[in-house]
Amino acid sequence: MFGPEEGAFEATGAGFDPDDVVWVRGVDYLGGWRDARDAAAELAAALSDAGMDTNGMRMTAQTQVDGSGLVRVVWTAGTARAVARLLREAG
């Protein structure tokens, strides 16, 4: 869970309590989260289509304070190097 000062909120597991975060009236947090979720799935599919093994990847959808989506990507060092190689080859 990230507080407002970090700029993103993450709900992981059963420990999420919506009363522990600041909600701003009129901000579409759910829409931003959905956008981030779809973007994460799109990125994972594109990397898989390019031949990447997606087992070493973790992508989570989050929402920033303003309601926009945020994708947090966690890769192993080997996965990061493989993505770097893939990008160099594509360039």
Side-chain angles (χ1 to χ4, degrees):
M1 170 79 89
F2 296 89
E5 67 279 359
E6 280 101 8
F9 297 101
E10 177 182 15
T12 56
F16 176 69
D17 183 354
D19 292 329
D20 285 345
V21 296
V22 177
W23 301 100
V24 178
R25 184 181 303 256
V27 176
D28 183 14
Y29 296 105
L30 188 55
W33 179 84
R34 284 183 184 135
D35 185 40
R37 179 195 59 192
D38 294 346
E42 185 177 340
L43 176 59
L47 289 168
S48 180
D49 290 347
M52 290 287 310
D53 178 10
T54 58
N55 288 328
M57 301 179 190
R58 190 180 90 206
M59 296 178 222
T60 57
Q62 300 177 348
T63 303
Q64 298 192 88
V65 175
D66 66 357
S68 61
L70 177 73
V71 177
R72 183 171 299 273
V73 179
V74 178
W75 291 335
T76 63
T79 299
R81 287 186 183 97
V83 170
R85 277 192 302 274
L86 180 67
L87 292 173
R88 281 191 203 98
E89 292 170 2

Coordinates of all heavy atoms in Angstrom, one line a residue:
M1 N 0.8 -1.2 0.0 CA 0.0 0.0 0.0 C 0.9 1.2 0.0 O 1.9 1.3 0.7 CB -0.9 0.0 1.2 CG -1.6 1.3 1.5 SD -3.0 1.4 0.5 CE -4.2 0.6 1.5
F2 N 0.6 2.2 -0.8 CA 1.3 3.4 -0.9 C 0.4 4.5 -0.4 O -0.8 4.6 -0.7 CB 1.8 3.7 -2.3 CG 2.7 2.7 -2.8 CD1 2.3 1.5 -3.5 CD2 4.1 2.8 -2.7 CE1 3.2 0.6 -3.9 CE2 5.0 1.9 -3.1 CZ 4.5 0.7 -3.8
G3 N 1.0 5.5 0.3 CA 0.2 6.6 0.8 C 0.2 7.7 -0.3 O 0.9 7.6 -1.3
P4 N -0.6 8.7 0.0 CA -0.7 9.8 -1.0 C 0.6 10.5 -1.3 O 0.8 11.0 -2.4 CB -1.7 10.8 -0.3 CG -2.3 10.1 0.8 CD -1.4 8.9 1.1
E5 N 1.5 10.5 -0.4 CA 2.8 11.2 -0.6 C 3.6 10.4 -1.7 O 4.5 11.0 -2.3 CB 3.6 11.4 0.6 CG 4.1 10.1 1.3 CD 3.0 9.4 2.2 OE1 1.8 9.9 2.3 OE2 3.3 8.3 2.7
E6 N 3.4 9.1 -1.9 CA 4.1 8.4 -2.9 C 3.4 8.4 -4.2 O 4.0 8.0 -5.2 CB 4.3 6.9 -2.5 CG 5.4 6.7 -1.5 CD 4.9 6.5 -0.1 OE1 3.7 6.5 0.1 OE2 5.7 6.5 0.9
G7 N 2.2 8.9 -4.3 CA 1.5 9.1 -5.6 C 0.8 7.9 -6.2 O 0.3 8.0 -7.3
A8 N 0.8 6.8 -5.5 CA 0.1 5.6 -6.0 C -0.5 4.8 -4.9 O 0.0 4.8 -3.8 CB 1.0 4.7 -6.9
F9 N -1.6 4.1 -5.2 CA -2.2 3.2 -4.2 C -2.2 1.8 -4.8 O -2.4 1.6 -6.0 CB -3.6 3.6 -4.0 CG -3.8 4.9 -3.3 CD1 -4.1 6.0 -4.1 CD2 -3.5 5.1 -2.0 CE1 -4.2 7.3 -3.5 CE2 -3.6 6.3 -1.4 CZ -4.0 7.4 -2.2
E10 N -1.9 0.8 -4.0 CA -1.8 -0.6 -4.4 C -2.5 -1.4 -3.4 O -2.3 -1.3 -2.2 CB -0.3 -1.0 -4.5 CG -0.2 -2.5 -4.9 CD 1.2 -2.9 -5.0 OE1 2.1 -2.2 -4.4 OE2 1.5 -4.0 -5.5
A11 N -3.5 -2.2 -3.9 CA -4.2 -3.1 -3.0 C -3.6 -4.5 -3.3 O -3.7 -5.1 -4.4 CB -5.7 -3.1 -3.4
T12 N -3.1 -5.1 -2.3 CA -2.5 -6.5 -2.4 C -3.1 -7.3 -1.3 O -3.0 -7.0 -0.1 CB -1.0 -6.5 -2.3 OG1 -0.6 -5.9 -1.1 CG2 -0.4 -5.7 -3.5
G13 N -3.6 -8.5 -1.7 CA -4.1 -9.4 -0.7 C -5.3 -8.9 0.1 O -6.0 -8.0 -0.3
A14 N -5.6 -9.6 1.1 CA -6.8 -9.4 1.9 C -6.6 -8.2 2.9 O -7.5 -7.8 3.6 CB -7.3 -10.6 2.7
G15 N -5.4 -7.7 3.0 CA -5.1 -6.6 3.9 C -5.5 -5.2 3.5 O -5.3 -4.3 4.3
F16 N -6.1 -5.1 2.3 CA -6.4 -3.7 1.9 C -7.6 -3.2 2.7 O -8.7 -3.9 2.8 CB -6.8 -3.7 0.4 CG -7.2 -2.4 -0.1 CD1 -6.4 -1.3 -0.2 CD2 -8.6 -2.2 -0.5 CE1 -6.8 -0.1 -0.6 CE2 -9.0 -1.0 -0.9 CZ -8.1 0.1 -1.0
D17 N -7.5 -2.0 3.2 CA -8.6 -1.4 3.9 C -8.9 0.0 3.3 O -8.0 0.9 3.4 CB -8.2 -1.2 5.4 CG -9.4 -0.6 6.2 OD1 -10.4 -0.2 5.6 OD2 -9.2 -0.5 7.4
P18 N -10.0 0.1 2.6 CA -10.3 1.4 1.9 C -10.3 2.6 2.8 O -10.2 3.7 2.3 CB -11.6 1.1 1.2 CG -12.2 -0.1 1.7 CD -11.1 -0.9 2.4
D19 N -10.5 2.4 4.1 CA -10.5 3.5 5.0 C -9.1 4.0 5.3 O -9.0 5.0 6.0 CB -11.2 3.1 6.3 CG -12.7 2.9 6.1 OD1 -13.3 3.6 5.2 OD2 -13.3 2.1 6.8
D20 N -8.1 3.3 4.9 CA -6.7 3.7 5.2 C -6.1 4.6 4.1 O -5.0 5.0 4.3 CB -5.8 2.4 5.3 CG -6.0 1.7 6.6 OD1 -6.6 2.2 7.5 OD2 -5.6 0.5 6.6
V21 N -6.9 4.9 3.1 CA -6.4 5.8 2.1 C -7.3 7.0 2.0 O -8.4 7.0 2.4 CB -6.3 5.1 0.7 CG1 -5.3 4.0 0.7 CG2 -7.6 4.6 0.3
V22 N -6.7 8.1 1.3 CA -7.5 9.3 1.1 C -8.2 9.2 -0.2 O -7.6 9.0 -1.3 CB -6.6 10.5 1.1 CG1 -7.4 11.8 0.8 CG2 -5.9 10.6 2.5
W23 N -9.5 9.3 -0.3 CA -10.3 9.3 -1.5 C -10.7 10.7 -1.8 O -11.3 11.4 -0.9 CB -11.5 8.4 -1.3 CG -11.1 7.0 -1.0 CD1 -11.1 6.4 0.2 CD2 -10.6 6.0 -1.9 NE1 -10.7 5.1 0.2 CE2 -10.4 4.8 -1.1 CE3 -10.4 5.9 -3.3 CZ2 -9.9 3.6 -1.7 CZ3 -9.9 4.7 -3.8 CH2 -9.7 3.6 -3.0
V24 N -10.6 11.1 -3.1 CA -11.0 12.5 -3.5 C -12.3 12.3 -4.2 O -12.4 11.6 -5.2 CB -9.9 13.1 -4.3 CG1 -10.4 14.5 -4.8 CG2 -8.6 13.2 -3.5
R25 N -13.3 13.0 -3.8 CA -14.6 13.0 -4.5 C -14.5 13.4 -5.9 O -13.8 14.4 -6.2 CB -15.6 14.0 -3.8 CG -17.0 13.9 -4.3 CD -17.9 14.9 -3.6 NE -17.9 14.7 -2.1 CZ -18.9 14.1 -1.5 NH1 -19.9 13.7 -2.1 NH2 -18.8 13.8 -0.2
G26 N -15.1 12.6 -6.8 CA -15.1 12.9 -8.2 C -14.0 12.3 -9.0 O -13.9 12.4 -10.2
V27 N -13.0 11.7 -8.3 CA -11.9 11.1 -9.0 C -12.2 9.7 -9.4 O -12.6 8.9 -8.5 CB -10.6 11.2 -8.2 CG1 -9.4 10.4 -8.9 CG2 -10.2 12.6 -7.9
D28 N -12.0 9.3 -10.6 CA -12.4 8.0 -11.1 C -11.2 7.0 -10.9 O -10.5 6.7 -11.8 CB -12.8 8.0 -12.6 CG -13.3 6.7 -13.1 OD1 -13.5 5.8 -12.3 OD2 -13.4 6.5 -14.3
Y29 N -11.1 6.6 -9.7 CA -9.9 5.6 -9.4 C -10.1 4.3 -10.1 O -9.2 3.7 -10.5 CB -9.8 5.4 -7.9 CG -9.5 6.7 -7.1 CD1 -10.4 7.3 -6.3 CD2 -8.2 7.2 -7.1 CE1 -10.1 8.5 -5.6 CE2 -7.8 8.3 -6.4 CZ -8.8 9.0 -5.7 OH -8.5 10.1 -5.0
L30 N -11.4 3.8 -10.1 CA -11.6 2.5 -10.7 C -11.3 2.6 -12.2 O -10.7 1.6 -12.8 CB -13.1 2.1 -10.5 CG -13.4 0.7 -10.9 CD1 -12.5 -0.3 -10.3 CD2 -14.9 0.4 -10.6
G31 N -11.6 3.6 -12.9 CA -11.3 3.8 -14.3 C -9.8 3.8 -14.6 O -9.3 3.1 -15.5
G32 N -9.1 4.5 -13.7 CA -7.6 4.5 -13.9 C -7.0 3.1 -13.6 O -6.1 2.7 -14.3
W33 N -7.6 2.4 -12.6 CA -7.1 1.1 -12.3 C -7.4 0.1 -13.5 O -6.5 -0.7 -13.9 CB -7.7 0.5 -11.0 CG -7.3 -0.8 -10.7 CD1 -6.1 -1.2 -10.1 CD2 -7.9 -2.1 -11.1 NE1 -6.0 -2.6 -10.0 CE2 -7.1 -3.1 -10.6 CE3 -9.1 -2.4 -11.7 CZ2 -7.5 -4.5 -10.8 CZ3 -9.4 -3.7 -11.9 CH2 -8.6 -4.7 -11.5
R34 N -8.6 0.2 -14.0 CA -8.9 -0.7 -15.2 C -8.0 -0.4 -16.4 O -7.5 -1.3 -17.0 CB -10.3 -0.4 -15.6 CG -11.3 -1.1 -14.7 CD -12.7 -0.9 -15.3 NE -13.7 -1.4 -14.4 CZ -14.8 -0.7 -14.0 NH1 -15.1 0.5 -14.5 NH2 -15.7 -1.3 -13.2
D35 N -7.7 0.9 -16.6 CA -6.8 1.3 -17.7 C -5.4 0.7 -17.5 O -4.8 0.1 -18.4 CB -6.7 2.8 -17.8 CG -5.9 3.2 -19.0 OD1 -6.0 2.6 -20.1 OD2 -5.1 4.2 -18.9
A36 N -4.9 0.8 -16.2 CA -3.6 0.2 -15.9 C -3.6 -1.3 -16.0 O -2.6 -1.9 -16.5 CB -3.2 0.6 -14.5
R37 N -4.7 -2.0 -15.6 CA -4.8 -3.4 -15.7 C -4.7 -3.8 -17.2 O -4.0 -4.8 -17.5 CB -6.1 -3.9 -15.1 CG -6.3 -5.4 -15.2 CD -7.7 -5.8 -14.9 NE -8.6 -5.2 -15.9 CZ -9.9 -5.1 -15.8 NH1 -10.5 -5.7 -14.8 NH2 -10.6 -4.5 -16.7
D38 N -5.4 -3.1 -18.0 CA -5.4 -3.4 -19.5 C -4.1 -3.2 -20.1 O -3.6 -3.9 -20.9 CB -6.5 -2.7 -20.2 CG -7.9 -3.0 -19.8 OD1 -8.1 -4.1 -19.1 OD2 -8.9 -2.3 -20.1
A39 N -3.4 -2.1 -19.7 CA -2.1 -1.8 -20.2 C -1.1 -2.8 -19.8 O -0.2 -3.2 -20.6 CB -1.7 -0.4 -19.7
A40 N -1.2 -3.3 -18.5 CA -0.3 -4.4 -18.1 C -0.5 -5.7 -18.9 O 0.5 -6.3 -19.3 CB -0.5 -4.6 -16.6
A41 N -1.7 -6.0 -19.1 CA -2.0 -7.2 -19.9 C -1.5 -7.0 -21.4 O -1.0 -8.0 -21.9 CB -3.5 -7.5 -19.9
E42 N -1.7 -5.8 -21.9 CA -1.2 -5.6 -23.3 C 0.3 -5.7 -23.3 O 0.9 -6.3 -24.3 CB -1.6 -4.2 -23.7 CG -1.3 -3.8 -25.1 CD -1.8 -2.4 -25.5 OE1 -2.8 -1.9 -24.9 OE2 -1.3 -1.9 -26.5
L43 N 1.0 -5.1 -22.3 CA 2.5 -5.2 -22.3 C 2.9 -6.7 -22.2 O 3.8 -7.1 -22.9 CB 3.0 -4.4 -21.1 CG 4.5 -4.5 -20.9 CD1 5.3 -4.0 -22.2 CD2 4.9 -3.6 -19.7
A44 N 2.3 -7.4 -21.3 CA 2.7 -8.8 -21.1 C 2.4 -9.6 -22.4 O 3.3 -10.4 -22.8 CB 1.8 -9.4 -20.0
A45 N 1.3 -9.4 -23.1 CA 1.0 -10.1 -24.3 C 2.1 -9.7 -25.4 O 2.5 -10.6 -26.1 CB -0.4 -9.7 -24.8
A46 N 2.4 -8.4 -25.5 CA 3.4 -8.0 -26.5 C 4.8 -8.6 -26.2 O 5.4 -9.1 -27.2 CB 3.5 -6.5 -26.5
L47 N 5.2 -8.7 -25.0 CA 6.5 -9.3 -24.7 C 6.4 -10.8 -24.9 O 7.4 -11.4 -25.4 CB 6.8 -9.0 -23.2 CG 7.2 -7.6 -22.9 CD1 7.3 -7.4 -21.4 CD2 8.5 -7.2 -23.6
S48 N 5.3 -11.4 -24.6 CA 5.2 -12.9 -24.9 C 5.2 -13.1 -26.4 O 5.8 -14.0 -26.9 CB 3.9 -13.4 -24.3 OG 3.7 -14.7 -24.6
D49 N 4.5 -12.3 -27.2 CA 4.5 -12.4 -28.6 C 5.9 -12.2 -29.2 O 6.2 -12.8 -30.3 CB 3.5 -11.4 -29.3 CG 2.1 -11.7 -29.0 OD1 1.7 -12.8 -28.5 OD2 1.2 -10.8 -29.2
A50 N 6.7 -11.4 -28.6 CA 8.1 -11.2 -29.0 C 9.0 -12.3 -28.6 O 10.2 -12.3 -28.9 CB 8.6 -9.9 -28.5
G51 N 8.5 -13.3 -27.9 CA 9.3 -14.5 -27.5 C 9.8 -14.4 -26.1 O 10.6 -15.3 -25.7
M52 N 9.4 -13.5 -25.3 CA 9.9 -13.4 -23.9 C 9.2 -14.4 -23.1 O 8.0 -14.6 -23.2 CB 9.6 -12.0 -23.4 CG 10.4 -10.9 -24.0 SD 12.1 -10.9 -23.4 CE 11.9 -11.0 -21.7
D53 N 9.9 -14.9 -22.1 CA 9.3 -15.8 -21.1 C 8.8 -14.9 -20.0 O 9.5 -14.2 -19.4 CB 10.4 -16.7 -20.5 CG 9.8 -17.6 -19.4 OD1 8.6 -17.7 -19.2 OD2 10.6 -18.3 -18.8
T54 N 7.5 -14.8 -19.9 CA 6.8 -13.9 -18.9 C 6.8 -14.4 -17.5 O 6.2 -13.8 -16.6 CB 5.4 -13.5 -19.4 OG1 4.6 -14.7 -19.5 CG2 5.5 -12.8 -20.7
N55 N 7.4 -15.6 -17.2 CA 7.4 -16.1 -15.9 C 8.1 -15.3 -14.9 O 7.8 -15.3 -13.7 CB 7.9 -17.6 -15.9 CG 6.9 -18.5 -16.5 OD1 5.7 -18.3 -16.4 ND2 7.4 -19.5 -17.2
G56 N 9.2 -14.6 -15.3 CA 10.0 -13.8 -14.5 C 9.5 -12.3 -14.3 O 10.2 -11.4 -13.9
M57 N 8.2 -12.1 -14.6 CA 7.6 -10.8 -14.6 C 6.5 -10.7 -13.7 O 5.7 -11.6 -13.5 CB 7.1 -10.4 -16.0 CG 8.1 -10.4 -17.1 SD 7.4 -10.0 -18.6 CE 8.7 -10.4 -19.7
R58 N 6.3 -9.5 -13.0 CA 5.1 -9.2 -12.2 C 4.7 -7.8 -12.5 O 5.5 -6.9 -12.4 CB 5.4 -9.4 -10.8 CG 4.1 -9.4 -9.9 CD 4.4 -9.5 -8.5 NE 4.6 -8.1 -8.0 CZ 5.3 -7.8 -6.9 NH1 5.9 -8.8 -6.2 NH2 5.4 -6.6 -6.5
M59 N 3.5 -7.7 -13.0 CA 3.0 -6.3 -13.3 C 1.7 -6.1 -12.5 O 0.8 -7.0 -12.5 CB 2.7 -6.2 -14.8 CG 3.9 -6.3 -15.6 SD 3.5 -6.2 -17.3 CE 4.6 -7.4 -18.0
T60 N 1.6 -5.0 -11.8 CA 0.4 -4.8 -11.0 C -0.2 -3.4 -11.4 O 0.5 -2.5 -11.7 CB 0.7 -4.7 -9.5 OG1 1.7 -3.7 -9.2 CG2 1.2 -6.1 -9.0
A61 N -1.5 -3.4 -11.4 CA -2.3 -2.2 -11.8 C -2.5 -1.4 -10.5 O -2.8 -1.9 -9.4 CB -3.6 -2.5 -12.4
Q62 N -2.2 -0.1 -10.6 CA -2.4 0.8 -9.5 C -3.1 2.1 -10.0 O -3.3 2.3 -11.2 CB -1.1 1.2 -8.8 CG -0.3 0.0 -8.3 CD 1.1 0.4 -7.8 OE1 1.5 1.5 -8.0 NE2 1.7 -0.6 -7.1
T63 N -3.5 2.9 -9.0 CA -4.1 4.2 -9.3 C -3.3 5.3 -8.7 O -3.0 5.2 -7.5 CB -5.6 4.2 -8.9 OG1 -6.3 3.1 -9.4 CG2 -6.2 5.5 -9.3
Q64 N -3.0 6.3 -9.4 CA -2.3 7.5 -8.8 C -3.4 8.4 -8.1 O -4.6 8.2 -8.3 CB -1.6 8.3 -9.9 CG -0.5 7.4 -10.6 CD 0.4 8.2 -11.4 OE1 1.4 8.7 -11.0 NE2 0.1 8.3 -12.7
V65 N -2.9 9.3 -7.4 CA -3.7 10.2 -6.6 C -4.8 10.9 -7.5 O -5.9 11.1 -7.1 CB -2.9 11.2 -5.8 CG1 -3.7 12.2 -5.1 CG2 -2.0 10.5 -4.8
D66 N -4.4 11.3 -8.7 CA -5.3 12.0 -9.6 C -6.2 11.0 -10.3 O -7.0 11.5 -11.2 CB -4.5 12.8 -10.6 CG -3.7 12.0 -11.6 OD1 -3.7 10.7 -11.5 OD2 -3.1 12.6 -12.5
G67 N -6.2 9.7 -10.1 CA -7.1 8.8 -10.7 C -6.5 8.1 -11.9 O -7.1 7.2 -12.5
S68 N -5.4 8.6 -12.4 CA -4.8 8.0 -13.6 C -4.2 6.6 -13.3 O -3.8 6.4 -12.1 CB -3.8 8.9 -14.3 OG -2.7 9.2 -13.4
G69 N -4.1 5.8 -14.3 CA -3.6 4.4 -14.1 C -2.1 4.4 -14.0 O -1.4 5.3 -14.6
L70 N -1.6 3.5 -13.3 CA -0.1 3.3 -13.1 C 0.2 1.8 -13.2 O -0.5 1.0 -12.5 CB 0.4 3.9 -11.8 CG 1.8 3.7 -11.5 CD1 2.7 4.6 -12.3 CD2 2.1 4.1 -10.0
V71 N 1.1 1.4 -13.9 CA 1.5 0.0 -14.0 C 2.9 -0.2 -13.3 O 3.9 0.5 -13.7 CB 1.6 -0.5 -15.4 CG1 2.1 -2.0 -15.5 CG2 0.3 -0.4 -16.1
R72 N 3.0 -0.9 -12.3 CA 4.2 -1.2 -11.6 C 4.7 -2.5 -12.2 O 4.1 -3.6 -12.1 CB 4.0 -1.3 -10.1 CG 5.3 -1.5 -9.4 CD 5.2 -1.4 -7.9 NE 4.7 0.0 -7.5 CZ 5.5 1.0 -7.3 NH1 6.8 0.9 -7.4 NH2 5.0 2.2 -6.9
V73 N 6.0 -2.5 -12.7 CA 6.6 -3.7 -13.3 C 7.7 -4.1 -12.4 O 8.6 -3.3 -12.1 CB 7.1 -3.3 -14.7 CG1 7.8 -4.5 -15.4 CG2 5.9 -2.8 -15.6
V74 N 7.8 -5.4 -12.1 CA 8.9 -6.0 -11.3 C 9.4 -7.1 -12.1 O 8.7 -8.1 -12.5 CB 8.4 -6.5 -9.9 CG1 9.5 -7.1 -9.2 CG2 7.7 -5.3 -9.2
W75 N 10.7 -7.0 -12.5 CA 11.4 -8.0 -13.3 C 12.6 -8.5 -12.5 O 13.2 -7.7 -11.8 CB 11.8 -7.5 -14.6 CG 10.7 -7.1 -15.6 CD1 9.5 -7.7 -15.6 CD2 10.8 -6.2 -16.6 NE1 8.8 -7.1 -16.7 CE2 9.5 -6.2 -17.3 CE3 11.8 -5.3 -17.1 CZ2 9.3 -5.4 -18.4 CZ3 11.5 -4.5 -18.2 CH2 10.2 -4.6 -18.8
T76 N 12.9 -9.8 -12.7 CA 14.2 -10.2 -12.2 C 15.3 -9.6 -13.0 O 15.0 -9.0 -14.1 CB 14.3 -11.8 -12.4 OG1 14.3 -12.1 -13.8 CG2 13.2 -12.5 -11.6
A77 N 16.5 -9.6 -12.6 CA 17.7 -9.0 -13.3 C 17.8 -9.7 -14.7 O 18.0 -9.0 -15.7 CB 18.9 -9.2 -12.5
G78 N 17.6 -11.0 -14.7 CA 17.7 -11.7 -16.0 C 16.6 -11.2 -17.0 O 16.8 -11.1 -18.2
T79 N 15.4 -11.1 -16.5 CA 14.3 -10.6 -17.3 C 14.6 -9.2 -17.8 O 14.3 -8.9 -19.0 CB 13.0 -10.7 -16.6 OG1 12.7 -12.0 -16.2 CG2 11.8 -10.2 -17.4
A80 N 15.1 -8.3 -17.0 CA 15.4 -6.9 -17.4 C 16.4 -6.9 -18.5 O 16.3 -6.2 -19.5 CB 15.9 -6.1 -16.2
R81 N 17.4 -7.8 -18.4 CA 18.4 -7.9 -19.4 C 17.8 -8.4 -20.7 O 18.2 -8.0 -21.8 CB 19.6 -8.8 -19.0 CG 20.5 -8.1 -17.9 CD 21.7 -9.0 -17.6 NE 22.4 -8.3 -16.5 CZ 22.3 -8.6 -15.2 NH1 21.5 -9.6 -14.9 NH2 23.0 -8.0 -14.3
A82 N 17.0 -9.4 -20.6 CA 16.3 -10.0 -21.8 C 15.4 -8.9 -22.5 O 15.4 -8.8 -23.8 CB 15.5 -11.2 -21.5
V83 N 14.7 -8.1 -21.7 CA 13.9 -7.0 -22.3 C 14.8 -6.0 -23.0 O 14.6 -5.5 -24.1 CB 13.0 -6.4 -21.3 CG1 12.4 -5.1 -21.8 CG2 12.0 -7.3 -20.8
A84 N 16.0 -5.6 -22.3 CA 16.9 -4.7 -22.9 C 17.4 -5.2 -24.3 O 17.5 -4.5 -25.3 CB 18.1 -4.4 -22.0
R85 N 17.8 -6.5 -24.3 CA 18.3 -7.1 -25.6 C 17.2 -7.0 -26.7 O 17.4 -6.7 -27.8 CB 18.7 -8.6 -25.4 CG 20.1 -8.8 -24.8 CD 20.5 -10.2 -24.9 NE 19.6 -11.1 -24.2 CZ 19.7 -11.4 -22.9 NH1 20.6 -10.9 -22.2 NH2 18.8 -12.3 -22.4
L86 N 15.9 -7.4 -26.3 CA 14.8 -7.3 -27.2 C 14.6 -5.9 -27.8 O 14.5 -5.7 -29.0 CB 13.6 -7.8 -26.5 CG 12.3 -7.8 -27.3 CD1 12.4 -8.9 -28.4 CD2 11.1 -8.1 -26.4
L87 N 14.7 -4.9 -26.9 CA 14.6 -3.5 -27.4 C 15.7 -3.1 -28.3 O 15.5 -2.4 -29.3 CB 14.5 -2.6 -26.2 CG 13.2 -2.7 -25.4 CD1 13.2 -1.9 -24.1 CD2 12.0 -2.4 -26.2
R88 N 16.9 -3.5 -27.9 CA 18.1 -3.2 -28.8 C 17.9 -3.8 -30.2 O 18.2 -3.2 -31.2 CB 19.4 -3.7 -28.2 CG 19.9 -2.7 -27.1 CD 21.3 -3.1 -26.7 NE 21.5 -2.6 -25.3 CZ 21.5 -3.4 -24.3 NH1 21.2 -4.7 -24.3 NH2 21.7 -2.8 -23.1
E89 N 17.5 -5.1 -30.2 CA 17.3 -5.8 -31.5 C 16.2 -5.1 -32.3 O 16.2 -5.1 -33.6 CB 17.0 -7.2 -31.3 CG 18.1 -8.0 -30.7 CD 17.7 -9.4 -30.2 OE1 16.5 -9.8 -30.4 OE2 18.6 -10.1 -29.7
A90 N 15.1 -4.6 -31.7 CA 14.0 -4.0 -32.4 C 14.4 -2.6 -32.9 O 13.8 -2.1 -33.9 CB 12.8 -3.8 -31.4
G91 N 15.4 -1.9 -32.3 CA 15.8 -0.6 -32.7 C 16.6 -0.5 -33.8 O 16.7 0.1 -34.8

